[in-house]
Amino acid sequence: IDAKKNGEKWEVFTHGGRNNSGIDALEYAKRMEVNGAGELLVTSMDRDGTKLGFDTELLSKASKILDIPLIASGGVGKINHFYEGAEKGKADALLAASVFHFNEISIMEVKEFLKTKNIAVRL
């Protein structure tokens, strides 16, 4: 689900965040779960590329209404953002791109850091 905040709710966007579908993202997420989705990749288009961290508000609201795993996406800039995504956002998995592509943080650094915070990781 690619979502942007619009007032007090998030809406589903398509075409890389350019087109607003007008669909409530949390309602859509629940509908996808009911229709058989086994997990959801949730990208906050408001955070994607900003390096300000995951949208933990969106993630935590989604985790409260869903019983399937959530993959957080969009916004990582610091190693602590991974912890915030898991702890505050309640995400089951964490996705990042640019911090790894540009060698700002290594995957092993993230895993070791999360282990020190008692977040389950495979080393």
Side-chain angles (χ1 to χ4, degrees), residues 41-86:
L41 171 64
V42 179
T43 303
S44 171
M45 300 304 294
D46 296 317
R47 293 296 183 98
D48 200 34
T50 66
K51 296 194 175 193
L52 296 174
F54 294 114
D55 188 334
T56 56
E57 183 182 4
L58 170 60
L59 291 165
S60 65
K61 287 186 179 203
S63 73
K64 288 179 184 173
I65 65 167
L66 300 171
D67 295 316
I68 57 176
L70 294 178
I71 304 165
S73 173
V76 170
K78 300 177 184 176
I79 199 164
N80 198 54
H81 292 155
F82 291 98
Y83 175 70
E84 291 170 356

mmCIF file of all heavy atoms in Angstrom, residues 41-86:
data_model
loop_
_atom_site.group_PDB
_atom_site.id
_atom_site.type_symbol
_atom_site.label_atom_id
_atom_site.label_comp_id
_atom_site.label_asym_id
_atom_site.label_seq_id
_atom_site.Cartn_x
_atom_site.Cartn_y
_atom_site.Cartn_z
ATOM 1 N N LEU A 41 3.037 -4.671 2.525
ATOM 2 C CA LEU A 41 4.135 -3.734 2.444
ATOM 3 C C LEU A 41 3.519 -2.342 2.476
ATOM 4 O O LEU A 41 2.758 -1.975 1.578
ATOM 5 C CB LEU A 41 4.925 -3.935 1.148
ATOM 6 C CG LEU A 41 5.986 -2.887 0.822
ATOM 7 C CD1 LEU A 41 7.091 -2.885 1.866
ATOM 8 C CD2 LEU A 41 6.563 -3.141 -0.559
ATOM 9 N N VAL A 42 3.821 -1.585 3.534
ATOM 10 C CA VAL A 42 3.217 -0.271 3.730
ATOM 11 C C VAL A 42 4.295 0.791 3.514
ATOM 12 O O VAL A 42 5.243 0.901 4.286
ATOM 13 C CB VAL A 42 2.612 -0.142 5.144
ATOM 14 C CG1 VAL A 42 2.015 1.244 5.352
ATOM 15 C CG2 VAL A 42 1.575 -1.229 5.383
ATOM 16 N N THR A 43 4.117 1.574 2.453
ATOM 17 C CA THR A 43 5.047 2.659 2.144
ATOM 18 C C THR A 43 4.355 3.990 2.373
ATOM 19 O O THR A 43 3.340 4.285 1.761
ATOM 20 C CB THR A 43 5.512 2.604 0.672
ATOM 21 O OG1 THR A 43 6.092 1.339 0.419
ATOM 22 C CG2 THR A 43 6.520 3.702 0.382
ATOM 23 N N SER A 44 4.911 4.793 3.261
ATOM 24 C CA SER A 44 4.411 6.141 3.460
ATOM 25 C C SER A 44 5.068 7.029 2.414
ATOM 26 O O SER A 44 6.268 7.295 2.476
ATOM 27 C CB SER A 44 4.751 6.650 4.860
ATOM 28 O OG SER A 44 4.434 8.021 4.955
ATOM 29 N N MET A 45 4.274 7.473 1.442
ATOM 30 C CA MET A 45 4.801 8.338 0.397
ATOM 31 C C MET A 45 5.227 9.693 0.968
ATOM 32 O O MET A 45 6.055 10.379 0.381
ATOM 33 C CB MET A 45 3.765 8.529 -0.715
ATOM 34 C CG MET A 45 3.341 7.239 -1.402
ATOM 35 S SD MET A 45 4.697 6.270 -2.097
ATOM 36 C CE MET A 45 5.267 7.356 -3.379
ATOM 37 N N ASP A 46 4.673 10.059 2.132
ATOM 38 C CA ASP A 46 5.077 11.300 2.794
ATOM 39 C C ASP A 46 6.506 11.207 3.326
ATOM 40 O O ASP A 46 7.181 12.218 3.476
ATOM 41 C CB ASP A 46 4.144 11.623 3.965
ATOM 42 C CG ASP A 46 2.726 11.899 3.522
ATOM 43 O OD1 ASP A 46 2.543 12.607 2.515
ATOM 44 O OD2 ASP A 46 1.795 11.396 4.175
ATOM 45 N N ARG A 47 6.945 10.007 3.636
ATOM 46 C CA ARG A 47 8.265 9.804 4.224
ATOM 47 C C ARG A 47 9.293 9.267 3.239
ATOM 48 O O ARG A 47 10.486 9.415 3.449
ATOM 49 C CB ARG A 47 8.164 8.838 5.409
ATOM 50 C CG ARG A 47 7.393 9.363 6.593
ATOM 51 C CD ARG A 47 8.103 10.571 7.210
ATOM 52 N NE ARG A 47 7.431 11.050 8.383
ATOM 53 C CZ ARG A 47 7.789 10.746 9.633
ATOM 54 N NH1 ARG A 47 8.801 9.960 9.861
ATOM 55 N NH2 ARG A 47 7.097 11.229 10.641
ATOM 56 N N ASP A 48 8.839 8.630 2.176
ATOM 57 C CA ASP A 48 9.740 7.980 1.236
ATOM 58 C C ASP A 48 10.771 8.971 0.700
ATOM 59 O O ASP A 48 10.417 10.035 0.192
ATOM 60 C CB ASP A 48 8.940 7.367 0.086
ATOM 61 C CG ASP A 48 9.709 6.298 -0.650
ATOM 62 O OD1 ASP A 48 10.501 5.570 -0.008
ATOM 63 O OD2 ASP A 48 9.516 6.174 -1.865
ATOM 64 N N GLY A 49 12.041 8.644 0.872
ATOM 65 C CA GLY A 49 13.126 9.490 0.383
ATOM 66 C C GLY A 49 13.502 10.656 1.274
ATOM 67 O O GLY A 49 14.430 11.392 0.959
ATOM 68 N N THR A 50 12.808 10.840 2.384
ATOM 69 C CA THR A 50 13.068 12.005 3.239
ATOM 70 C C THR A 50 14.173 11.785 4.267
ATOM 71 O O THR A 50 14.719 12.745 4.788
ATOM 72 C CB THR A 50 11.803 12.410 4.025
ATOM 73 O OG1 THR A 50 11.475 11.360 4.952
ATOM 74 C CG2 THR A 50 10.639 12.701 3.082
ATOM 75 N N LYS A 51 14.427 10.532 4.621
ATOM 76 C CA LYS A 51 15.379 10.159 5.671
ATOM 77 C C LYS A 51 14.944 10.666 7.048
ATOM 78 O O LYS A 51 15.758 10.859 7.935
ATOM 79 C CB LYS A 51 16.787 10.619 5.330
ATOM 80 C CG LYS A 51 17.326 9.927 4.084
ATOM 81 C CD LYS A 51 18.801 10.120 3.935
ATOM 82 C CE LYS A 51 19.279 9.308 2.751
ATOM 83 N NZ LYS A 51 20.715 9.209 2.717
ATOM 84 N N LEU A 52 13.623 10.863 7.224
ATOM 85 C CA LEU A 52 13.077 11.318 8.506
ATOM 86 C C LEU A 52 12.563 10.171 9.367
ATOM 87 O O LEU A 52 12.091 10.392 10.472
ATOM 88 C CB LEU A 52 11.935 12.313 8.260
ATOM 89 C CG LEU A 52 12.321 13.613 7.576
ATOM 90 C CD1 LEU A 52 11.079 14.441 7.253
ATOM 91 C CD2 LEU A 52 13.287 14.405 8.438
ATOM 92 N N GLY A 53 12.643 8.955 8.861
ATOM 93 C CA GLY A 53 12.167 7.797 9.604
ATOM 94 C C GLY A 53 10.840 7.291 9.050
ATOM 95 O O GLY A 53 10.155 7.980 8.290
ATOM 96 N N PHE A 54 10.500 6.071 9.436
ATOM 97 C CA PHE A 54 9.229 5.482 9.034
ATOM 98 C C PHE A 54 8.062 6.299 9.583
ATOM 99 O O PHE A 54 8.189 6.974 10.601
ATOM 100 C CB PHE A 54 9.093 4.052 9.586
ATOM 101 C CG PHE A 54 10.070 3.068 9.028
ATOM 102 C CD1 PHE A 54 11.036 2.490 9.835
ATOM 103 C CD2 PHE A 54 10.014 2.672 7.693
ATOM 104 C CE1 PHE A 54 11.925 1.554 9.334
ATOM 105 C CE2 PHE A 54 10.902 1.742 7.174
ATOM 106 C CZ PHE A 54 11.858 1.182 8.005
ATOM 107 N N ASP A 55 6.912 6.203 8.949
ATOM 108 C CA ASP A 55 5.691 6.836 9.447
ATOM 109 C C ASP A 55 5.124 5.903 10.520
ATOM 110 O O ASP A 55 4.272 5.057 10.261
ATOM 111 C CB ASP A 55 4.693 7.045 8.308
ATOM 112 C CG ASP A 55 3.490 7.866 8.730
ATOM 113 O OD1 ASP A 55 3.146 7.867 9.924
ATOM 114 O OD2 ASP A 55 2.886 8.491 7.847
ATOM 115 N N THR A 56 5.617 6.048 11.736
ATOM 116 C CA THR A 56 5.230 5.133 12.812
ATOM 117 C C THR A 56 3.761 5.291 13.203
ATOM 118 O O THR A 56 3.156 4.340 13.683
ATOM 119 C CB THR A 56 6.138 5.298 14.047
ATOM 120 O OG1 THR A 56 6.111 6.655 14.482
ATOM 121 C CG2 THR A 56 7.570 4.881 13.729
ATOM 122 N N GLU A 57 3.190 6.462 12.960
ATOM 123 C CA GLU A 57 1.769 6.643 13.258
ATOM 124 C C GLU A 57 0.922 5.777 12.324
ATOM 125 O O GLU A 57 0.024 5.060 12.767
ATOM 126 C CB GLU A 57 1.374 8.112 13.121
ATOM 127 C CG GLU A 57 -0.073 8.377 13.489
ATOM 128 C CD GLU A 57 -0.482 9.836 13.305
ATOM 129 O OE1 GLU A 57 0.320 10.653 12.814
ATOM 130 O OE2 GLU A 57 -1.642 10.137 13.641
ATOM 131 N N LEU A 58 1.197 5.825 11.043
ATOM 132 C CA LEU A 58 0.489 4.996 10.070
ATOM 133 C C LEU A 58 0.686 3.520 10.388
ATOM 134 O O LEU A 58 -0.271 2.739 10.423
ATOM 135 C CB LEU A 58 0.976 5.299 8.648
ATOM 136 C CG LEU A 58 0.517 4.364 7.537
ATOM 137 C CD1 LEU A 58 -0.996 4.348 7.409
ATOM 138 C CD2 LEU A 58 1.178 4.750 6.218
ATOM 139 N N LEU A 59 1.924 3.126 10.629
ATOM 140 C CA LEU A 59 2.213 1.719 10.901
ATOM 141 C C LEU A 59 1.511 1.221 12.154
ATOM 142 O O LEU A 59 0.926 0.130 12.159
ATOM 143 C CB LEU A 59 3.723 1.510 11.035
ATOM 144 C CG LEU A 59 4.529 1.680 9.753
ATOM 145 C CD1 LEU A 59 6.006 1.805 10.070
ATOM 146 C CD2 LEU A 59 4.264 0.521 8.809
ATOM 147 N N SER A 60 1.560 1.989 13.230
ATOM 148 C CA SER A 60 0.944 1.530 14.476
ATOM 149 C C SER A 60 -0.570 1.444 14.347
ATOM 150 O O SER A 60 -1.198 0.527 14.891
ATOM 151 C CB SER A 60 1.349 2.404 15.660
ATOM 152 O OG SER A 60 0.851 3.713 15.510
ATOM 153 N N LYS A 61 -1.175 2.365 13.605
ATOM 154 C CA LYS A 61 -2.627 2.282 13.391
ATOM 155 C C LYS A 61 -2.971 1.059 12.556
ATOM 156 O O LYS A 61 -3.957 0.372 12.838
ATOM 157 C CB LYS A 61 -3.153 3.564 12.749
ATOM 158 C CG LYS A 61 -3.187 4.714 13.728
ATOM 159 C CD LYS A 61 -3.844 5.942 13.156
ATOM 160 C CE LYS A 61 -3.842 7.015 14.252
ATOM 161 N NZ LYS A 61 -4.839 8.011 14.066
ATOM 162 N N ALA A 62 -2.174 0.774 11.557
ATOM 163 C CA ALA A 62 -2.412 -0.420 10.740
ATOM 164 C C ALA A 62 -2.237 -1.684 11.578
ATOM 165 O O ALA A 62 -3.049 -2.616 11.478
ATOM 166 C CB ALA A 62 -1.470 -0.433 9.539
ATOM 167 N N SER A 63 -1.215 -1.716 12.421
ATOM 168 C CA SER A 63 -0.971 -2.925 13.226
ATOM 169 C C SER A 63 -2.099 -3.192 14.216
ATOM 170 O O SER A 63 -2.346 -4.345 14.570
ATOM 171 C CB SER A 63 0.368 -2.830 13.958
ATOM 172 O OG SER A 63 0.305 -1.925 15.029
ATOM 173 N N LYS A 64 -2.801 -2.154 14.638
ATOM 174 C CA LYS A 64 -3.923 -2.325 15.574
ATOM 175 C C LYS A 64 -5.137 -2.965 14.920
ATOM 176 O O LYS A 64 -5.922 -3.624 15.592
ATOM 177 C CB LYS A 64 -4.318 -0.988 16.192
ATOM 178 C CG LYS A 64 -3.320 -0.476 17.197
ATOM 179 C CD LYS A 64 -3.737 0.866 17.756
ATOM 180 C CE LYS A 64 -2.641 1.378 18.688
ATOM 181 N NZ LYS A 64 -2.903 2.735 19.136
ATOM 182 N N ILE A 65 -5.302 -2.776 13.609
ATOM 183 C CA ILE A 65 -6.504 -3.296 12.953
ATOM 184 C C ILE A 65 -6.244 -4.555 12.130
ATOM 185 O O ILE A 65 -7.187 -5.182 11.667
ATOM 186 C CB ILE A 65 -7.175 -2.223 12.059
ATOM 187 C CG1 ILE A 65 -6.279 -1.825 10.898
ATOM 188 C CG2 ILE A 65 -7.604 -1.022 12.887
ATOM 189 C CD1 ILE A 65 -6.981 -1.032 9.817
ATOM 190 N N LEU A 66 -4.972 -4.917 11.958
ATOM 191 C CA LEU A 66 -4.625 -6.071 11.127
ATOM 192 C C LEU A 66 -4.043 -7.205 11.944
ATOM 193 O O LEU A 66 -3.398 -6.972 12.967
ATOM 194 C CB LEU A 66 -3.626 -5.658 10.045
ATOM 195 C CG LEU A 66 -4.085 -4.572 9.078
ATOM 196 C CD1 LEU A 66 -2.923 -4.119 8.206
ATOM 197 C CD2 LEU A 66 -5.248 -5.054 8.223
ATOM 198 N N ASP A 67 -4.247 -8.416 11.463
ATOM 199 C CA ASP A 67 -3.670 -9.598 12.101
ATOM 200 C C ASP A 67 -2.576 -10.224 11.245
ATOM 201 O O ASP A 67 -2.090 -11.303 11.572
ATOM 202 C CB ASP A 67 -4.773 -10.637 12.372
ATOM 203 C CG ASP A 67 -5.794 -10.137 13.386
ATOM 204 O OD1 ASP A 67 -5.379 -9.553 14.401
ATOM 205 O OD2 ASP A 67 -6.995 -10.321 13.141
ATOM 206 N N ILE A 68 -2.203 -9.577 10.150
ATOM 207 C CA ILE A 68 -1.151 -10.086 9.284
ATOM 208 C C ILE A 68 0.098 -9.228 9.465
ATOM 209 O O ILE A 68 0.025 -8.095 9.924
ATOM 210 C CB ILE A 68 -1.597 -10.096 7.802
ATOM 211 C CG1 ILE A 68 -2.026 -8.711 7.334
ATOM 212 C CG2 ILE A 68 -2.707 -11.122 7.583
ATOM 213 C CD1 ILE A 68 -2.397 -8.620 5.861
ATOM 214 N N PRO A 69 1.261 -9.787 9.118
ATOM 215 C CA PRO A 69 2.507 -9.025 9.271
ATOM 216 C C PRO A 69 2.552 -7.785 8.384
ATOM 217 O O PRO A 69 2.031 -7.775 7.267
ATOM 218 C CB PRO A 69 3.586 -10.024 8.843
ATOM 219 C CG PRO A 69 2.960 -11.367 8.978
ATOM 220 C CD PRO A 69 1.502 -11.170 8.691
ATOM 221 N N LEU A 70 3.207 -6.744 8.904
ATOM 222 C CA LEU A 70 3.413 -5.491 8.174
ATOM 223 C C LEU A 70 4.892 -5.308 7.890
ATOM 224 O O LEU A 70 5.736 -5.518 8.764
ATOM 225 C CB LEU A 70 2.946 -4.297 8.997
ATOM 226 C CG LEU A 70 1.465 -4.183 9.293
ATOM 227 C CD1 LEU A 70 1.202 -2.962 10.154
ATOM 228 C CD2 LEU A 70 0.667 -4.127 8.016
ATOM 229 N N ILE A 71 5.184 -4.869 6.683
ATOM 230 C CA ILE A 71 6.542 -4.518 6.296
ATOM 231 C C ILE A 71 6.576 -3.004 6.162
ATOM 232 O O ILE A 71 5.852 -2.427 5.353
ATOM 233 C CB ILE A 71 6.937 -5.177 4.962
ATOM 234 C CG1 ILE A 71 6.756 -6.698 5.039
ATOM 235 C CG2 ILE A 71 8.383 -4.799 4.586
ATOM 236 C CD1 ILE A 71 6.779 -7.384 3.690
ATOM 237 N N ALA A 72 7.399 -2.357 6.974
ATOM 238 C CA ALA A 72 7.510 -0.896 6.950
ATOM 239 C C ALA A 72 8.438 -0.467 5.825
ATOM 240 O O ALA A 72 9.492 -1.066 5.614
ATOM 241 C CB ALA A 72 8.058 -0.398 8.281
ATOM 242 N N SER A 73 8.045 0.594 5.113
ATOM 243 C CA SER A 73 8.850 1.110 4.018
ATOM 244 C C SER A 73 8.715 2.628 3.951
ATOM 245 O O SER A 73 7.647 3.165 4.178
ATOM 246 C CB SER A 73 8.363 0.485 2.704
ATOM 247 O OG SER A 73 9.008 1.060 1.602
ATOM 248 N N GLY A 74 9.819 3.276 3.614
ATOM 249 C CA GLY A 74 9.785 4.708 3.360
ATOM 250 C C GLY A 74 10.313 5.569 4.479
ATOM 251 O O GLY A 74 9.659 5.719 5.492
ATOM 252 N N GLY A 75 11.511 6.124 4.298
ATOM 253 C CA GLY A 75 11.968 7.176 5.186
ATOM 254 C C GLY A 75 13.204 6.955 6.025
ATOM 255 O O GLY A 75 13.611 7.854 6.756
ATOM 256 N N VAL A 76 13.839 5.798 5.952
ATOM 257 C CA VAL A 76 14.982 5.542 6.832
ATOM 258 C C VAL A 76 16.161 6.441 6.469
ATOM 259 O O VAL A 76 16.542 6.551 5.306
ATOM 260 C CB VAL A 76 15.420 4.064 6.764
ATOM 261 C CG1 VAL A 76 16.748 3.850 7.481
ATOM 262 C CG2 VAL A 76 14.352 3.176 7.367
ATOM 263 N N GLY A 77 16.729 7.062 7.504
ATOM 264 C CA GLY A 77 17.918 7.882 7.331
ATOM 265 C C GLY A 77 18.965 7.622 8.395
ATOM 266 O O GLY A 77 20.148 7.903 8.197
ATOM 267 N N LYS A 78 18.519 7.080 9.532
ATOM 268 C CA LYS A 78 19.412 6.797 10.658
ATOM 269 C C LYS A 78 19.143 5.392 11.164
ATOM 270 O O LYS A 78 18.034 4.870 11.031
ATOM 271 C CB LYS A 78 19.166 7.778 11.802
ATOM 272 C CG LYS A 78 19.390 9.220 11.458
ATOM 273 C CD LYS A 78 19.046 10.106 12.645
ATOM 274 C CE LYS A 78 19.167 11.566 12.267
ATOM 275 N NZ LYS A 78 18.748 12.435 13.361
ATOM 276 N N ILE A 79 20.127 4.825 11.804
ATOM 277 C CA ILE A 79 19.988 3.456 12.300
ATOM 278 C C ILE A 79 18.844 3.337 13.314
ATOM 279 O O ILE A 79 18.140 2.338 13.356
ATOM 280 C CB ILE A 79 21.330 2.933 12.861
ATOM 281 C CG1 ILE A 79 21.303 1.400 12.935
ATOM 282 C CG2 ILE A 79 21.675 3.588 14.197
ATOM 283 C CD1 ILE A 79 22.672 0.784 13.096
ATOM 284 N N ASN A 80 18.621 4.371 14.102
ATOM 285 C CA ASN A 80 17.555 4.326 15.108
ATOM 286 C C ASN A 80 16.166 4.252 14.473
ATOM 287 O O ASN A 80 15.219 3.796 15.106
ATOM 288 C CB ASN A 80 17.650 5.519 16.061
ATOM 289 C CG ASN A 80 16.877 5.288 17.335
ATOM 290 O OD1 ASN A 80 17.088 4.279 18.012
ATOM 291 N ND2 ASN A 80 15.959 6.183 17.650
ATOM 292 N N HIS A 81 16.036 4.690 13.230
ATOM 293 C CA HIS A 81 14.741 4.612 12.556
ATOM 294 C C HIS A 81 14.257 3.170 12.425
ATOM 295 O O HIS A 81 13.050 2.918 12.449
ATOM 296 C CB HIS A 81 14.809 5.268 11.181
ATOM 297 C CG HIS A 81 14.996 6.749 11.237
ATOM 298 N ND1 HIS A 81 15.570 7.465 10.220
ATOM 299 C CD2 HIS A 81 14.674 7.655 12.202
ATOM 300 C CE1 HIS A 81 15.600 8.747 10.549
ATOM 301 N NE2 HIS A 81 15.061 8.878 11.754
ATOM 302 N N PHE A 82 15.188 2.232 12.301
ATOM 303 C CA PHE A 82 14.796 0.818 12.236
ATOM 304 C C PHE A 82 14.139 0.396 13.552
ATOM 305 O O PHE A 82 13.105 -0.264 13.559
ATOM 306 C CB PHE A 82 16.004 -0.072 11.936
ATOM 307 C CG PHE A 82 16.541 0.095 10.547
ATOM 308 C CD1 PHE A 82 17.625 0.920 10.307
ATOM 309 C CD2 PHE A 82 15.963 -0.564 9.479
ATOM 310 C CE1 PHE A 82 18.128 1.077 9.024
ATOM 311 C CE2 PHE A 82 16.450 -0.418 8.190
ATOM 312 C CZ PHE A 82 17.542 0.409 7.963
ATOM 313 N N TYR A 83 14.746 0.783 14.648
ATOM 314 C CA TYR A 83 14.180 0.460 15.970
ATOM 315 C C TYR A 83 12.801 1.103 16.125
ATOM 316 O O TYR A 83 11.850 0.454 16.582
ATOM 317 C CB TYR A 83 15.126 0.925 17.076
ATOM 318 C CG TYR A 83 14.562 0.726 18.450
ATOM 319 C CD1 TYR A 83 14.399 -0.548 18.984
ATOM 320 C CD2 TYR A 83 14.179 1.816 19.221
ATOM 321 C CE1 TYR A 83 13.862 -0.734 20.246
ATOM 322 C CE2 TYR A 83 13.650 1.638 20.485
ATOM 323 C CZ TYR A 83 13.493 0.361 20.997
ATOM 324 O OH TYR A 83 12.957 0.189 22.251
ATOM 325 N N GLU A 84 12.669 2.367 15.734
ATOM 326 C CA GLU A 84 11.381 3.054 15.847
ATOM 327 C C GLU A 84 10.306 2.360 15.007
ATOM 328 O O GLU A 84 9.158 2.256 15.428
ATOM 329 C CB GLU A 84 11.527 4.516 15.416
ATOM 330 C CG GLU A 84 12.359 5.346 16.370
ATOM 331 C CD GLU A 84 12.714 6.716 15.825
ATOM 332 O OE1 GLU A 84 12.381 7.018 14.653
ATOM 333 O OE2 GLU A 84 13.343 7.489 16.569
ATOM 334 N N GLY A 85 10.670 1.886 13.831
ATOM 335 C CA GLY A 85 9.718 1.180 12.984
ATOM 336 C C GLY A 85 9.199 -0.095 13.631
ATOM 337 O O GLY A 85 8.011 -0.408 13.555
ATOM 338 N N ALA A 86 10.080 -0.803 14.305
ATOM 339 C CA ALA A 86 9.688 -2.041 14.983
ATOM 340 C C ALA A 86 8.978 -1.762 16.305
ATOM 341 O O ALA A 86 7.942 -2.362 16.596
ATOM 342 C CB ALA A 86 10.916 -2.917 15.235
#
